[in-house]
C-alpha cells in the first residue's frame, strides 16, 4: 500500500450544545491512499461524518471545537492552515458529495453554472469551464448534456441530481473524493448505478474514495477497507469480509446480526378471510394517470408488502385506502362496503379500523402535544371506543405494549429517539384497535438495530391482536423478513404478486429480478455473486 | 407569463369595479351627498341648487348609471379647490409620492440587504448586535415623533435643512430619512432571519466544500434564495408609501398624494378623494404584479 494521501490522527471534536458539551468524535484515526475505497460505517449519532466535515472545514467554530489531532493531506496538517489555504484544497484536491442532492444543490442557479463555478473560482477561464461542464455531464451519464447544463436542479430526478453532484465534485480531478451517504435517498436500482459510476470514475482517475454510510450492503459492494464507528469512537477496522465474517467488537457483532434479510420467510396464508379487496383501482391527476388498475387483497392478520421504486404509485395506494385522496375508478371492498364511494359519516367509522404509521415520526407527531395527548386524541375523535376515565390507564397499557414506560406519557416527542418516536406512532395507531395498519416506509428512516426491533414489535402485535399490515417499503431485505405476501409495483401497475417465498426465491418477472439483483447484501460474498448476476443481465 | 399578466389584470379590473361600486354606495349610505360636499353652514338655497346642478334629485339608479359612465371615461369630476380635473390634480401629486417612495425604497433595500446579510453571516458578532439594536428601535419608532424631532434638531436647531417644500435636493433629505427608518428596521430583520436560514442550508455546505469564498457564498449563493420573504415585505412597505406617507408628507409639507388626500378630506373635495382612491388602487395592483414577477425572476421553481 502506498503512503496515505489523507490521514486523520487522534482527532477529537466537541460540540457545545444547550445541554452542555457533546464529544462528537474521540481520538479517531484513519487513513486513505490513492486508488483505495475506504468506508466509514456507523449509525446515526456515531460521529461517522464528523471527521470528514473536519477535513472539509465544514465544522462551524463555535459551536464546534477541535480538541486535539491532526489532519494530514500529503503530509501537511490542514488544521494548521488558514481558511484561504484550505479553500484552495477544497474542490481541486479534496471534493465532497452528500446525501440528498436536491437540498445540496442551489435551487436558483442552473446546474451548469454550479459546475462551472467549481472550476472558475479555482482559476479556470469561464469559456473553458463551460465546455468542460458539458463534457462532465456527459461523462456521468446524463442524456443531452448541453441541455442539462441549462436546467435547474428541480428539473432532474434524484439519481440524475446525484450525477450532477458527482460531475461537480470531479470537475477539477481531485485526489480524494468524500461521499457522505451518497445513495441513501435513492432507489435500489439507482443506488447500484451510482455506486458503479463512482467505482468506474475512481478506477479511471486513481483518486482515493471515502464513503460514509450506515449500510453494510454499500460496504460489501464497494469498499476495500472499512472502519466501524460507534458513539464517536472507532471500534473496528478491517476488510469488508473480515468485518462481516468475523466481527471482533461486540457492537459490530450486534450490527451484523441485526441486518435484515436473513430470517425465516413466512409461509403462505391461504384460506383466511379477506379484509380488503381492491379491484381495478385507478387514480389520475388531471391528464396524468398514476395508477392503472390495481388489484390487491389483504386478509385478516396478514402482512402484505407493496414494493417499488419512487414514482411507482405505492404510496398512492395507501392514500386511496385511507381516502386521503379519492380514487378515480375501481372499488375497494371493506366488510362488503366500498371504501371509495362510502359517505363521509360511515368513512369516519371505518377509519377507526384502518390506521397509518408514517415514515418520519419527527414530522408526523405534533411537537407541542404530550405523548398522552397524542395517543388519546384518537379517542376524542372516536368517543365511543373508550370512556374518558379509562384513557389514562389505557395510554399506560399501550406504551408498555410497544416497549415504552408508562410515565413516558407526560413527555413530548422531542425527548425521544427516532425508534422510540416510531413506537409512539404505533401506540397511537393501536389506540383504536384497528384491523389494518398501513405502514408507509415506517422503518426506512431508522437505524438497522432499531429497525429490527420495530419490525419484531409489529410482528408480535400482528400475531397477538390479529392486525393486518399493508407494508409499503423500498427495502427488500426488511420485506423478506416481515411480509407474508408481496406486491411489486412499477409505474402505477402491479408487475408481480405472490407469497413472499415465491417472490424472493423464484421471481418470474425481469423487473422483479432486476430489483432483487440491485438490492445490496451485507455479505461481501453474496454481493459479489449479485454483481456478477447484474453484469450478466446487462450483457 | 403573458397569460399570467393578462389573468391578473382581469382579476384586478374586477376588484377595481367592486371598489368603484362600493365608493358610490358608501358615499350615499353615509347620508345626503350635499352634507358631504357642502360646508355644514350652507343655506337651504345653496343646497337645493347643488342638488339640481349635480342631478342628486334623480332616482339613485340613474345617478349610479351616470357615475359609472363618468368612471368609464376616467372623469372623476372637477376639484372644488383648484377647479382643475380631479385626475390631473391627483396624478400631479402622485408623481411626487412615487419619486419619494422609489428613492426611499432604493436606500432601504440596499442598506437593509447588505447590513442584514453581513449580520446573518456572523450571528452574535458586533455588527449583528449593532444592526439588530438599531433596526428594532427603527421598526418601533413612531414616525410623527421622529419627524418633529428631526425638524427641531436639523432645521430649527442647526438650520441645516429646510423644514418643508420640495425646492432643492436639501428638501428631500428629511422626508426620505424619516420615511427610511421604519421599513429599514423591519426589512433588515427579515433579511437577517431569512439569510440565517439560507446560510445554514445544505447548498451552502456544498459551496464551502467547493472552496467558495465567504463573500460569494453570502451574496451569490444565499442571498437570492433568501430574497423571497424580503420581497414580500418590501412590496408591503412600498404599497404603504404609495398609499401616501400621510404623516410624513403632512409634517414636511410635501405635495404628495397622502397630503392631498388629507387636505381634500378636510375640504370636502370629494372628486379628488375619489380620483386618489382609484389611482392608488391601480398603483398597488401594478406593485403586486411586479412582486409576483420578481418571485419568478428570483426563483426558477416559480413559474406562472
Amino acid at each position: 500500500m502506498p503512503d496515505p494521501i489523507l490521514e486523520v490522527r487522534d482527532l477529537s471534536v466537541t460540540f457545545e450544545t444547550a445541554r452542555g458539551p457533546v464529544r462528537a468524535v474521540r481520538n479517531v484515526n484513519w487513513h486513505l491512499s490513492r486508488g483505495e475505497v475506504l468506508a466509514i460505517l456507523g449509525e446515526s449519532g456515531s460521529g461517522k461524518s464528523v471527521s470528514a466535515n473536519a477535513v472539509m472545514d465544514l465544522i462551524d467554530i463555535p459551536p464546534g471545537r477541535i480538541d486535539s489531532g491532526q489532519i494530514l493531506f500529503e503530509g501537511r496538517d490542514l488544521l494548521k492552515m488558514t481558511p484561504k489555504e484550505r479553500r484552495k484544497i477544497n474542490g481541486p484536491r479534496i471534493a465532497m458529495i452528500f446525501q440528498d442532492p436536491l437540498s445540496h444543490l442551489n435551487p436558483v442557479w442552473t446546474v451548469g453554472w454550479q459546475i462551472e463555478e467549481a472550476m472558475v473560482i479555482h482559476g479556470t477561464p469561464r469559456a473553458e469551464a463551460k465546455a468542460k461542464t458539458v463534457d462532465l455531464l456527459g461523462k456521468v451519464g446524463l442524456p443531452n448534456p448541453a441541455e442539462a447544463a441549462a436546467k435547474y436542479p428541480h428539473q432532474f430526478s434524484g439519481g440524475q441530481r446525484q450525477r450532477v453532484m458527482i460531475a461537480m465534485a470531479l470537475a477539477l480531478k481531485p485526489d480524494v473524493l468524500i461521499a457522505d451517504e451518497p445513495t441513501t435517498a435513492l432507489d435500489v436500482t439507482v443506488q447500484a448505478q451510482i455506486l458503479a459510476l463512482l467505482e468506474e470514475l475512481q478506477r479511471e482517475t486513481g483518486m482515493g474514495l471515502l464513503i460514509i454510510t450506515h449500510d453494510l450492503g454499500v460496504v460489501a459492494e464497494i469498499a476495500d477497507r472499512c472502519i466501524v464507528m460507534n458513539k464517536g469512537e472507532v471500534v473496528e477496522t478491517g476488510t469488508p469480509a473480515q468485518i462481516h465474517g468475523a466481527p471482533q467488537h461486540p457492537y459490530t457483532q450486534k450490527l451484523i446480526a441485526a441486518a435484515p434479510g436473513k430470517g425465516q420467510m413466512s409461509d403462505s396464508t391461504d384460506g383466511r378471510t379477506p379484509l380488503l379487496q381492491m379491484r381495478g383501482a385507478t387514480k389520475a391527476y388531471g391528464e396524468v394517470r398514476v395508477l392503472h388498475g390495481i388489484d390487491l387483497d389483504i386478509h385478516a392478520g396478514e402482512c402484505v408488502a407493496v414494493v417499488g421504486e419512487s414514482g411507482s404509485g405505492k404510496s398512492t395506494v395507501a392514500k386511496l385506502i385511507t381516502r386521503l385522496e379519492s380514487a378515480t375508478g375501481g372499488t375497494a371492498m371493506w366488510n362488503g362496503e366500498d371504501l371509495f364511494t362510502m359517505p363521509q359519516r360511515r368513512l369516519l367509522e371505518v377509519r377507526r379500523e384502518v390506521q397509518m404509521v408514517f415514515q418520519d415520526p419527527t414530522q408526523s407527531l405534533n411537537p407541542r402535544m404530550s405523548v398522552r395527548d397524542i395517543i388519546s386524541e384518537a379517542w376524542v375523535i372516536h368517543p365511543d371506543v373508550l370512556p374518558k376515565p379509562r384513557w389514562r390507564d389505557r395510554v399506560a397499557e399501550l406504551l408498555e405494549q410497544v416497549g415504552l414506560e408508562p410515565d413516558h406519557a407526560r413527555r413530548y416527542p422531542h425527548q425521544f429517539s427516532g425508534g422510540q418516536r416510531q413506537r409512539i406512532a404505533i401506540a397511537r395507531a393501536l389506540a383504536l384497535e384497528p384491523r389494518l395498519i398501513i405502514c408507509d416506509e415506517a422503518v426506512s428512516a431508522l437505524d438497522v438495530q432499531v429497525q429490527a426491533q420495530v419490525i419484531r414489535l409489529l410482528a408480535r402485535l400482528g400475531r397477538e391482536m390479529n392486525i393486518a399490515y399493508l407494508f409499503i417499503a423500498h427495502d427488500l431485505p426488511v420485506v423478506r423478513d416481515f411480509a407474508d405476501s408481496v406486491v411489486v409495483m412499477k409505474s402505477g401497475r402491479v408487475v408481480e404478486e405472490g407469497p413472499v417465498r415465491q417472490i424472493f426465491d423464484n421471481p418470474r418477472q425481469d423487473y422483479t429480478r432486476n430489483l432483487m439483483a440491485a438490492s445490496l447484501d451485507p455479505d461481501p460474498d453474496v454481493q459479489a455473486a449479485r454483481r456478477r448476476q447484474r453484469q450478466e443481465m446487462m450483457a | 407569463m403573458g397569460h399570467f399578466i393578462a389573468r391578473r389584470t382581469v382579476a384586478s379590473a374586477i376588484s377595481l369595479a367592486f371598489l368603484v361600486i362600493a365608493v358610490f354606495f358608501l358615499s350615499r349610505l353615509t347620508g345626503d351627498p350635499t352634507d358631504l360636499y357642502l360646508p355644514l353652514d350652507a343655506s337651504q338655497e345653496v343646497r337645493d341648487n347643488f342638488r339640481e346642478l349635480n342631478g342628486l334629485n334623480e332616482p339613485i339608479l340613474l345617478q349610479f348609471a351616470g357615475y359609472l359612465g363618468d368612471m368609464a371615461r376616467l372623469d372623476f369630476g372637477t376639484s372644488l379647490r383648484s377647479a382643475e380635473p380631479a385626475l390631473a390634480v391627483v396624478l400631479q401629486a402622485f408623481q411626487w409620492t412615487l419619486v419619494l417612495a422609489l428613492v426611499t425604497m432604493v436606500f432601504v433595500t440596499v442598506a437593509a440587504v447588505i447590513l442584514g446579510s453581513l449580520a446573518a453571516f456572523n450571528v452574535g458578532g458586533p455588527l449583528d448586535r449593532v444592526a439588530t439594536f438599531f433596526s428594532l428601535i427603527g421598526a418601533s419608532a413612531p414616525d410623527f415623533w421622529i419627524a418633529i424631532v428631526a425638524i427641531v434638531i436639523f432645521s430649527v436647531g442647526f438650520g441645516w435643512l429646510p423644514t418643508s417644500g420640495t425646492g432643492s435636493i436639501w428638501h428631500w433629505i428629511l422626508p426620505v430619512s424619516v420615511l427610511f427608518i421604519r421599513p429599514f428596521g423591519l426589512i433588515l430583520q427579515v433579511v437577517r432571519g431569512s439569510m440565517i436560514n439560507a446560510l445554514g442550508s445544505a447548498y451552502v455546505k456544498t459551496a464551502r466544500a467547493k472552496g467558495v469564498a465567504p463573500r460569494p457564498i453570502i451574496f451569490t449563493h444565499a442571498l437570492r434564495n433568501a430574497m423571497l420573504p424580503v420581497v414580500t415585505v418590501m412590496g408591503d412597505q412600498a404599497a404603504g408609501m404609495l398609499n401616501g406617507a400621510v404623516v410624513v408628507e403632512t409634517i414636511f409639507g410635501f405635495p404628495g398624494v397622502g397630503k392631498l388626500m388629507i387636505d381634500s378630506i378636510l375640504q370636502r373635495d370629494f372628486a379628488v378623494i375619489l380620483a386618489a382612491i382609484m389611482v392608488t388602487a391601480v398603483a398597488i395592483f401594478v406593485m403586486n404584479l411586479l412582486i409576483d414577477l420578481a418571485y419568478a425572476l428570483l426563483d426558477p421553481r416559480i413559474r406562472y
Side-chain angles (χ1 to χ4, degrees), chain A residues 128-314:
Chain A
E128 194 186 322
K130 262 192 169 42
K132 240 181 119 186
T133 295
V134 177
D135 283 353
L136 282 161
L137 286 172
K139 201 167 168 185
V140 296
L142 283 181
N144 298 329
E147 274 173 44
K151 287 191 188 171
Y152 293 92
H154 71 276
Q155 295 170 299
F156 295 93
S157 71
Q160 289 175 325
R161 282 195 279 264
Q162 195 58 286
R163 286 169 193 271
V164 169
M165 286 292 282
I166 293 172
M168 187 157 77
L170 297 185
L172 292 165
K173 296 201 168 62
D175 304 275
V176 173
L177 177 64
I178 301 174
D180 191 352
E181 300 270 12
T183 58
T184 305
L186 306 176
D187 284 325
V188 278
T189 52
V190 182
Q191 162 167 285
Q193 290 162 11
I194 294 289
L195 289 177
L197 174 69
L198 282 174
E199 238 181 334
E200 184 196 319
L201 293 168
Q202 189 235 9
R203 249 198 325 271
E204 218 179 286
T205 59
M207 64 187 176
L209 179 58
L210 174 68
I211 289 217
I212 300 162
T213 183
H214 71 283
D215 190 343
L216 276 162
V218 171
V219 175
E221 165 78 7
I222 196 170
D224 300 319
R225 219 152 43 80
C226 174
I227 68 175
V228 183
M229 287 193 68
N230 180 35
K231 294 182 182 157
E233 285 175 346
V234 175
V235 294
E236 190 153 354
T237 312
T239 64
Q242 285 167 346
I243 299 266
H244 185 267
Q248 302 297 308
H249 194 274
Y251 172 78
T252 323
Q253 288 164 358
K254 268 196 273 175
L255 194 69
I256 306 271
K262 294 184 298 279
Q264 189 73 33
M265 272 193 277
S266 147
D267 283 304
S268 177
T269 52
D270 284 336
R272 295 205 198 173
T273 46
L275 196 59
L276 177 81
Q277 284 186 305
M278 189 187 265
R279 288 292 172 268
T282 59
K283 175 69 187 170
Y285 297 97
E287 296 290 297
V288 186
R289 299 189 66 185
V290 293
L291 291 183
H292 306 262
I294 302 293
D295 296 345
L296 184 74
D297 283 337
I298 304 175
H299 300 91
E302 179 195 32
C303 173
V304 177
V306 179
V307 300
E309 301 188 285
S310 45
S312 62
K314 56 188 193 299

Side-chain angles (χ1 to χ4, degrees), chain A residues 9-35:
Chain A
R9 278 191 195 162
D10 198 33
L11 184 72
S12 297
V13 178
T14 303
F15 287 97
E16 293 294 338
T17 69
R19 292 185 204 164
V22 174
R23 298 197 69 182
V25 292
R26 272 182 302 253
N27 310 100
V28 164
N29 290 287
W30 52 260
H31 58 87
L32 175 71
S33 303
R34 280 200 172 81

Side-chain angles (χ1 to χ4, degrees), chain A residues 358-366 413 417-419 421-422 425 442 445-446:
Chain A
F358 296 94
Q359 173 170 12
D360 186 350
T362 316
Q363 286 180 22
S364 59
L365 299 177
N366 188 333
S417 70
R421 278 186 216 138
Q422 203 56 303
L446 305 176

Side-chain angles (χ1 to χ4, degrees), chain B residues 5 11 16 23-24 32 46 70 72 76 132 142 148 155 181 196 199-200 218 250 256 259 281-282 290:
Chain B
I5 295 175
L16 278 180
V23 164
F24 176 83
D32 190 344
V46 173
D70 290 345
F76 297 93
T132 302
I148 292 168
S155 306
I181 290 169
I196 287 175
L199 287 168
I218 299 173
T250 307
K259 184 170 186 304
V282 170
L290 287 177

Side-chain angles (χ1 to χ4, degrees), chain A residues 53 56-58 60 87 90-91 98 103-109 113-114 117-118 121-122 152 154 165 168, chain B residues 201-214 216 219-222 224-225 298-301 303:
Chain A
N53 284 337
M56 301 307 287
D57 198 16
L58 293 178
D60 282 315
R87 285 204 294 275
N90 280 4
F98 303 89
S103 63
H104 281 89
L105 287 167
N106 197 321
V108 301
W109 299 102
W113 184 90
Q114 295 184 53
E117 189 202 26
I121 54 173
H122 294 290
Y152 293 92
H154 71 276
M165 286 292 282
M168 187 157 77
Chain B
S201 67
Y203 54 80
V204 163
K205 199 171 162 191
T206 308
R208 286 168 66 182
K210 275 155 77 173
V212 182
F219 293 109
T220 317
H221 285 267
R224 191 167 156 192
N225 281 285
L298 286 168
D299 192 335
R301 287 167 297 182
R303 285 291 169 262

